[in-house]
Amino acid sequence: ADPVKRLAAPELAKAIGTGEAAEGPRLLSMLRHHAGQVQEIQRQREGREIGSYGRQTERDANLRMMGNIKSGLCLLGPKAAAIREELEQFLQSGVLPAHHVEGHDMTGWNVILVRMGKPIESIAKAPRMGGTEANYRRNLREKVERWRPDRC
């Protein structure tokens, strides 16, 4: 689907998550595209090509889409195990805005990754989060065990 038209109905990205495993790569591709749009807008702002709030509506629409894509990946969970490593690499690539992959937002991604098959023991607590590594993993395990579709 046309990425610009997709912005008009971000909920469809979440609905894709109720599909089959083949939807995983599609959602990851969509995440890459919309995160890239946000990154480009940020680059233009920092380069003073546009004002501080230039293209704000477009940026907000892409961020909304990214949130719905994350929800779609959350719903797919284990069915999207084949894209787990690729998703992890993308989360570490620096394309997503930092606040989307730090702290509690990263915990949300970690729940998705664990549901896709990543061992909890391989997940490190973000340095800026309080508590111990053991407590973080225990809490993460509890979140995964209590997972419900309505929390995506």
Side-chain angles (χ1 to χ4, degrees), residues 70-84:
K70 182 178 181 180
S71 294
L73 288 166
C74 175
L75 288 169
L76 271 179
K79 292 188 281 185
I83 66 159
R84 184 190 56 132

Side-chain angles (χ1 to χ4, degrees), residues 20-58:
E20 296 303 315
E23 301 298 351
R26 181 177 177 190
L27 285 170
L28 183 55
S29 174
M30 291 167 61
L31 181 62
R32 281 191 175 112
H33 172 80
H34 292 287
Q37 294 297 314
V38 171
Q39 185 182 46
E40 175 60 17
I41 292 168
Q42 187 61 32
R43 185 198 64 73
Q44 288 178 354
R45 288 176 175 182
E46 290 171 0
R48 304 220 187 268
E49 296 170 39
I50 59 175
S52 297
Y53 293 97
R55 299 176 61 191
Q56 186 66 36
T57 302
E58 182 183 350

Side-chain angles (χ1 to χ4, degrees), residues 121-137:
E121 297 72 31
S122 68
I123 295 175
K125 174 187 76 67
R128 294 179 9 194
M129 291 184 78
T132 65
E133 193 92 17
N135 283 344
Y136 178 76
R137 289 181 179 150

